[in-house]
């Protein structure tokens, strides 16, 4: 059975790894590359980005798609809401000429990458994320969620509104929410990618 951790253990493990083993930008680059390598991308690709480091993973994927000649665009739901590392990789995307829009044309995408919320999300999904998630779920695209489906609680696997994915790429270690709650019905497939985060804390096996 897969090893899982709480979101709190994941956060502290991520922090410890950055302080002691792997610089934060390198860790973000590893996360984005892991997501890129797990999916079969059909163009055009819409990369739906929220705030902070979850969006940063999407920027890394966008850069890799561009490098491989796969048409993509970034849908930036929250302007000027970058983490430091996320801004670093966003600027790389801009320098490469990757289109950035604030409203996506969800009907045209063959593949959608969901990078709106991370495993720490709690509470109610509000605009503009609400409309984005509804549009993702109404689309005919192949949907990939980065780390966990946006709108799901990383510990309980529950939520009121959440992305339904064809593939969810967990980063570091599976979280409880990948196996609890509604996860089995909204994640058609899931895979975990070890990017070198040393887990500090309790682990459990869930199926």
């Amino acid at each position: 059975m897969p090893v899982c951790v709480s979101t709190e253990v994941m956060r502290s493990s991520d922090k410890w790894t950055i302080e002691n083993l792997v610089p934060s930008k390198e860790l973000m680059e590893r996360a984005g590359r892991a997501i890129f390598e797990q999916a079969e991308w059909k163009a055009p690709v819409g990369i739906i980005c929220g705030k902070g480091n979850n969006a940063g993973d999407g920027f890394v994927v966008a850069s890799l798609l561009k490098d491989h000649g796969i048409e993509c665009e970034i849908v930036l739901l929250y302007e000027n809401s970058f983490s430091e590392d996320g801004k670093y990789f966003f600027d790389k995307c801009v320098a490469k000429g990757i289109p950035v829009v604030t409203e996506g044309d969800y009907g045209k995408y063959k593949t959608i990458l969901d990078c709106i919320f991370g495993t720490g999300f709690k509470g109610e999904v509000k605009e503009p994320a609400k409309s984005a998630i509804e549009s993702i779920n109404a689309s005919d695209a192949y949907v990939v969620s980065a780390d966990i489906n946006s709108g799901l609680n990383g510990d309980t696997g529950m939520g009121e509104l959440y992305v339904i994915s064809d593939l969810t790429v967990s980063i570091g270690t599976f979280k409880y929410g990948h196996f609890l709650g509604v996860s089995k019905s909204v994640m058609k497939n899931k895979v975990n990618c070890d990017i070198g985060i040393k887990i500090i804390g309790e682990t459990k096996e869930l199926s």
Side-chain angles (χ1 to χ4, degrees), residues 66-206:
K66 178 71 171 181
D67 291 346
H68 285 77
I70 301 170
E71 180 188 353
C72 67
E73 72 178 12
I74 293 167
V75 181
L76 199 62
L77 298 181
Y78 305 92
E79 294 184 89
N80 301 315
S81 294
F82 303 101
S83 67
E84 180 181 346
D85 292 345
K87 185 65 163 62
Y88 172 82
F89 287 107
F90 177 76
D91 288 345
K92 282 194 165 189
C93 291
V94 172
K96 290 181 179 183
I98 297 171
V100 179
V101 298
T102 55
E103 293 188 14
D105 182 359
Y106 294 84
K108 77 176 181 181
Y109 303 132
K110 297 295 184 185
T111 312
I112 288 175
L113 176 60
D114 155 35
C115 295
I116 303 172
F117 299 126
T119 57
F121 174 80
K122 295 176 182 176
E124 179 185 357
V125 177
K126 299 179 181 179
E127 296 292 359
K130 181 177 182 292
S131 292
I133 291 175
E134 290 172 344
S135 296
I136 291 170
N137 290 341
S139 76
D140 293 324
Y142 185 87
V143 177
V144 181
S145 284
D147 207 5
I148 198 166
N149 302 38
S150 291
L152 285 187
N153 181 296
D155 287 321
T156 67
M158 296 298 291
E160 294 182 2
L161 175 66
Y162 38 77
V163 170
I164 298 170
S165 70
D166 294 285
L167 174 66
T168 299
V169 184
S170 164
I171 300 298
T173 304
F174 280 123
K175 274 60 75 177
Y176 299 152
H178 286 112
F179 295 92
L180 300 177
V182 299
S183 61
K184 288 183 174 63
S185 62
V186 304
M187 301 177 190
K188 294 179 184 176
N189 294 287
K190 54 180 172 276
V191 62
N192 182 71
C193 294
D194 181 356
I195 61 168
I197 298 173
K198 181 175 176 59
I199 299 302
I200 309 293
E202 180 185 14
T203 64
K204 294 181 180 178
E205 292 185 346
L206 296 175

